[in-house]
Amino acid sequence: MKLNLILTAAVIAGSSFLSMAQTHKEGVEYYRADQFNNAKELLTRNYNNAGTDKAVSEYYLGLISLEEDKTNEALEHFNKGVSINPEYAYNYVGLGEVALRNGNKNEAGEYFKEARKRAKNDASLDIAIARAYYNVNPTAYAKEIDKNVNDAIKHSPKNGTAYTNPDIYLFEGDRKKDAKDFGGAGNQYEMATSYNPNATEAYVKYAELFTMVNPQYAINMLNNLLKVNPNSALGQRELANAYYNAKKYKEAATQYEKYVQNPNHFKQDEDRLAFLLFVDGDYQQGYDFASKLLAQNPQNFTAQRFQFMNAAQMESMKDQLVPMAEALVAAHKANPENIFAPIDYNLISDELSNAGKADEAQALLEEAIAGDPTNRDYYKQLALVYVKENDIVGASKAFEGYINNTENPTYNDLIQQATYAFYAGVSMKDNPEEAQKYYDMAKSSSEKAATAMPNAPKPSKIAGDIAKQLAPEDQVASVAVPFYEKSIELIEASENPSRYASDAKEMYNYMGNYYLDQKDVPTAIVYFNKYLELDPNNEAYRKFVEGLNK
């Protein structure tokens, strides 16, 4: 397993959808939920489908054009809608809004009259006209807005003294949201669902208010929506997103799996499902889903990425990883839009490095660093590639980049840098000046590590190692003694001395030989016996110590 993922999710449950009609209605839902790009895609996608009311589609496409500040395009849509069905009132409202935007208030009023002729005493139409004024200038047209809202209240069916048309509550909710009165907006949206349980956009707008601050509120509301409209693509998508925002990845994955089977889903949401299957940890499921997407579209770079990511975690796929990695790199280089994320750079370079393709791995990580020189993980990964190639100097240089981009290096970070730098210095024994630079780096890092963890034995061990490398030949056998004594003292005082066994054996041996040179055989034997405690099966060493005892 190459990733230590802490996110968990469940195995995706299989489900199927009955065939659902794809008409203008799905796009209208998205528009009324203020998701204009998605609305435009669905309205366009479903425009020629049986059951689509093209006059309605033209109205909402015109409203979307107004959102995009494309007034002339909006005018074309509204006029086309009128030509398709002159009795559909709302395209006249659209023409009225265009007139308002062009500064022709009287002309707008005439269009609104034409609309009312075709939908008399219609509260929803009154609200549409109020919105037209509001969209253009809520301050300048405050009287007109209030008049149309009051007309809507008069024309709305009543429940006792309460008006029941949900469009009124939706509009008032939007006004409160624009005024940053989010609690008030939520109350209005909830009222809309009370009077029309099928008002999909009201549930969604309510959920959007709370999805980040109180995700469970959003989840509860969207579940209520799907109880009354289980096939709503908008509701399914928003519930999946709400689970995702709440970090409930198991539920999010299950909901996305249902949603992507809805014919009104968006292709980009398949990428989110591929991601969730990956973090779920069921890599076979994730691999199969990504493979299915690739079969549908071999140019789907995101699917190709997730296919590899999942395969990289599967023992059964290990023999196929290198060609998959190289194919990914080729696709990445062939198209500037095929962008890698950090996980791609790290996983692919690791696979290439393991396959002995160090040059390719290094080139990929150098590209990553050039694109984001502050991403410390790239430097760390590059250091590991150099280590596998026994290029300790390259590893030390790369890890220096990691340290330089780490605000507060940990003890382990500093010890790793000191270790790399020390061995880089050792490897450059024929270039004393360069070697000294690395020894200085090792010393500085180990001293910082000692400050971070005063009771840690490793910094003193490294200090002794450096001292041996820099000492004249006749002093090598003694110069590390004070450093090793301190390190040994800290090891033996630690809660788990065995974790330092490798360092301890090296230092016990050094200290034993030092005291042997000093003719202090009893003390030498003490250190040699400590060595044997850590390596009791070393018969040659045992015989050597037994000889000293004789």
Side-chain angles (χ1 to χ4, degrees):
M1 195 67 63
K2 297 182 181 178
L3 296 177
N4 180 18
L5 297 171
I6 60 172
L7 303 176
T8 58
V11 175
I12 303 305
S15 62
S16 61
F17 277 86
L18 298 174
S19 61
M20 289 172 282
Q22 300 170 65
T23 69
H24 63 279
K25 294 179 182 179
E26 290 76 21
V28 171
E29 276 191 352
Y30 273 93
Y31 177 86
R32 289 170 65 87
D34 297 335
Q35 297 188 24
F36 306 120
N37 290 336
N38 292 336
K40 185 175 184 177
E41 180 178 334
L42 286 177
L43 287 166
T44 303
R45 184 197 302 176
N46 299 335
Y47 188 84
N48 291 313
N49 289 355
T52 288
D53 188 327
K54 293 183 178 180
V56 176
S57 294
E58 292 295 344
Y59 172 60
Y60 283 98
L61 287 169
L63 292 179
I64 293 167
S65 295
L66 290 178
E67 290 290 338
E68 297 171 345
D69 290 324
K70 297 177 180 177
T71 306
N72 290 336
E73 184 180 284
L75 188 62
E76 292 178 7
H77 282 299
F78 297 136
N79 279 325
K80 186 175 180 181
V82 169
S83 68
I84 292 170
N85 181 5
E87 295 308 307
Y88 179 65
Y90 287 84
N91 278 305
Y92 297 100
V93 178
L95 290 169
E97 183 170 339
V98 171
L100 287 174
R101 287 174 179 250
N102 290 332
N104 299 320
K105 182 179 178 182
N106 291 335
E107 181 184 348
E110 293 302 315
Y111 280 122
F112 296 149
K113 287 180 183 178
E114 288 295 319
R116 288 194 175 94
K117 288 178 184 178
R118 291 158 175 81
K120 295 179 180 179
N121 300 327
D122 186 333
S124 293
L125 183 72
D126 295 327
I127 291 299
I129 295 171
R131 281 189 183 277
Y133 283 114
Y134 185 81
N135 291 341
V136 176
N137 193 323
T139 303
Y141 295 122
K143 290 183 180 178
E144 289 80 2
I145 293 167
D146 288 343
K147 178 185 180 304
N148 280 280
V149 170
N150 289 330
D151 285 345
I153 292 172
K154 291 177 186 176
H155 298 148
S156 172
K158 300 295 189 296
N159 180 2
T161 59
Y163 47 88
T164 61
N165 186 292
D167 288 343
I168 303 171
Y169 296 104
L170 282 164
F171 180 57
E172 295 298 351
D174 291 347
R175 289 213 282 180
K176 288 182 180 296
K177 183 174 70 173
D178 290 344
K180 310 300 183 187
D181 179 5
F182 301 116
N187 288 335
Q188 293 293 319
Y189 297 146
E190 194 167 15
M191 289 292 289
T193 66
S194 297
Y195 291 117
N196 182 6
N198 293 304
T200 301
E201 63 275 14
Y203 295 92
V204 172
K205 287 187 173 187
Y206 178 96
E208 286 177 347
L209 290 174
F210 294 101
T211 188
M212 300 308 295
V213 295
N214 194 330
Q216 194 57 48
Y217 277 20
I219 290 167
N220 291 344
M221 182 60 84
L222 292 166
N223 273 316
N224 289 338
L225 162 61
L226 291 177
K227 287 178 183 177
V228 296
N229 188 0
N231 290 334
S232 168
L234 174 60
Q236 293 163 356
R237 183 175 190 265
E238 292 304 306
L239 179 58
N241 285 333
Y243 280 131
Y244 182 84
N245 290 334
K247 296 182 172 55
K248 294 187 175 184
Y249 299 109
K250 170 184 176 179
E251 293 89 344
T254 300
Q255 188 59 39
Y256 269 113
E257 200 276 341
K258 294 177 182 177
Y259 161 69
V260 298
Q261 296 183 62
N262 191 310
N264 288 300
H265 80 273
F266 300 104
K267 284 293 183 182
Q268 64 266 28
D269 292 317
E270 294 176 352
D271 297 346
R272 175 67 65 84
L273 175 56
F275 167 75
L276 284 168
L277 290 171
F278 177 67
V279 301
D280 173 25
D282 187 343
Y283 302 117
Q284 185 66 59
Q285 182 88 2
Y287 175 82
D288 291 343
F289 181 72
S291 298
K292 183 179 78 171
L293 296 182
L294 270 177
Q296 295 169 354
N297 176 14
Q299 305 305 313
N300 187 333
F301 184 66
T302 299
Q304 188 179 3
R305 289 175 54 231
F306 279 106
Q307 185 191 55
F308 173 77
M309 286 183 207
N310 284 287
Q313 318 309 314
M314 300 161 60
E315 183 67 22
S316 61
M317 295 295 296
K318 63 181 181 180
D319 294 335
Q320 301 180 47
L321 293 178
V322 174
M324 291 176 71
E326 292 187 317
L328 260 178
V329 173
H332 165 67
K333 291 180 177 179
N335 187 343
E337 294 184 0
N338 289 345
I339 299 171
F340 279 151
I343 189 173
D344 298 301
Y345 284 112
N346 289 330
L347 279 177
I348 294 171
S349 62
D350 185 56
E351 202 55 52
L352 293 173
S353 176
N354 289 340
K357 297 176 180 290
D359 291 345
E360 294 178 34
Q362 290 162 12
L364 189 64
L365 289 168
E366 292 291 355
E367 175 195 299
I369 290 168
D372 185 4
T374 63
N375 188 322
R376 62 180 191 159
D377 291 335
Y378 293 150
Y379 298 96
K380 192 173 187 179
Q381 181 73 8
L382 183 57
L384 292 175
V385 173
Y386 280 117
V387 168
K388 289 176 183 176
E389 294 301 302
N390 294 316
D391 183 351
I392 200 65
V393 174
S396 182
K397 289 179 179 178
F399 204 81
E400 187 177 4
Y402 171 83
I403 292 292
N404 291 341
N405 285 282
T406 302
E407 186 174 352
N408 294 304
T410 65
Y411 167 84
N412 288 334
D413 290 336
L414 294 165
I415 286 298
Q416 187 66 73
Q417 185 188 37
T419 302
Y420 283 149
F422 170 73
Y423 285 108
V426 171
S427 73
M428 304 186 76
K429 59 184 178 181
D430 295 332
N431 190 340
E433 289 186 9
E434 283 297 308
Q436 185 64 53
K437 292 179 183 178
Y438 286 103
Y439 289 137
D440 289 343
M441 182 189 297
K443 181 180 179 182
S444 173
S445 296
S446 63
E447 287 174 349
K448 291 175 183 176
T451 300
M453 290 185 65
N455 293 326
K458 190 71 175 181
S460 296
K461 165 69 165 56
I462 292 173
D465 294 342
I466 295 171
K468 287 195 298 183
Q469 293 297 322
L470 296 177
E473 188 172 344
D474 60 348
Q475 297 178 28
V476 169
S478 61
V479 71
V481 167
F483 302 107
Y484 284 179
E485 283 180 335
K486 181 178 179 181
S487 182
I488 288 169
E489 179 183 349
L490 291 170
I491 288 174
E492 293 178 350
S494 69
E495 293 182 358
N496 184 15
S498 61
R499 64 181 295 197
Y500 306 107
S502 179
D503 284 345
K505 284 167 60 179
E506 181 184 340
M507 290 188 290
Y508 288 147
N509 188 64
Y510 178 91
M511 296 298 294
N513 281 298
Y514 166 73
Y515 281 107
L516 197 59
D517 288 344
Q518 300 300 309
K519 312 302 183 185
D520 186 348
V521 176
T523 303
I525 290 174
V526 169
Y527 281 108
F528 291 144
N529 280 330
K530 289 182 177 182
Y531 180 103
L532 280 172
E533 289 177 10
L534 298 173
D535 190 6
N537 296 322
N538 191 330
E539 291 302 322
Y541 204 93
R542 184 176 300 282
K543 289 179 180 179
F544 163 70
V545 176
E546 289 173 352
L548 292 177
N549 283 318
K550 294 178 181 178

